[in-house]
Amino acid sequence: MTQSSASDAMWTPPPRDECAEQRMPVALEEQYLLNVRRVTWNGQLVEYAVVLSFRESVDEAWVEIHSIDTKHHGCVHRHRDGDHTSWDEIRPIQSQADVQSSFADSYDEVYSVYLILTGQDPLK
């Protein structure tokens, strides 16, 4: 696993108190939930997280199984199985444009994990 440091990043997000946050839970089916968190500043996407969670039954808590986010680490990165102590770097963040341009691919990857887990073909 690659563990990047923020020293490679040339861009720092604006202060959180100047940003707006939007959370969008998407119930894919009873056992799978996709949570999307988008943080914007001045109409620009400056941070996000796309998180797939699973639960055996409605009586159990959601367990994170795959996520991609831009918070911390200075890069777009994925976490597997809810483990946030390690991550795989996808790409460095050197500007706001890196955050914006990586969102669709991140969403597609996390959604494809859901498709594969439910016996469907991943997005192409």
Side-chain angles (χ1 to χ4, degrees):
M1 288 192 192
T2 304
Q3 299 212 350
S4 175
S5 69
S7 63
D8 296 334
M10 298 170 50
W11 182 72
T12 302
R16 291 291 291 211
D17 62 349
E18 295 178 18
C19 297
E21 182 174 315
Q22 180 183 32
R23 292 179 180 260
M24 297 165 282
V26 179
L28 300 173
E29 56 186 81
E30 193 172 283
Q31 292 182 299
Y32 290 94
L33 178 67
L34 185 67
N35 275 301
V36 178
R37 183 176 58 82
R38 294 172 46 100
V39 177
T40 57
W41 175 81
N42 201 24
Q44 300 174 71
L45 184 63
V46 295
E47 181 183 305
Y48 67 81
V50 183
V51 180
L52 179 64
S53 298
F54 174 81
R55 66 180 177 186
E56 288 286 334
S57 70
V58 295
D59 298 331
E60 293 187 27
W62 291 106
V63 176
E64 184 178 311
I65 56 176
H66 193 91
S67 67
I68 297 178
D69 70 85
T70 60
K71 191 171 185 176
H72 309 301
H73 315 309
C75 61
V76 179
H77 58 280
R78 76 178 54 82
H79 300 279
R80 301 174 196 272
D81 299 323
D83 178 11
H84 285 258
T85 60
S86 62
W87 65 91
D88 297 326
E89 180 176 315
I90 297 171
R91 69 184 282 185
I93 299 173
Q94 297 179 328
S95 70
Q96 180 277 328
D98 291 333
V99 176
Q100 182 69 47
S101 66
S102 65
F103 178 78
D105 287 343
S106 296
Y107 185 95
D108 288 354
E109 178 183 321
V110 175
Y111 189 73
S112 286
V113 169
Y114 158 72
L115 292 173
I116 292 166
L117 289 171
T118 56
Q120 302 173 66
D121 292 332
L123 299 173
K124 298 190 187 312

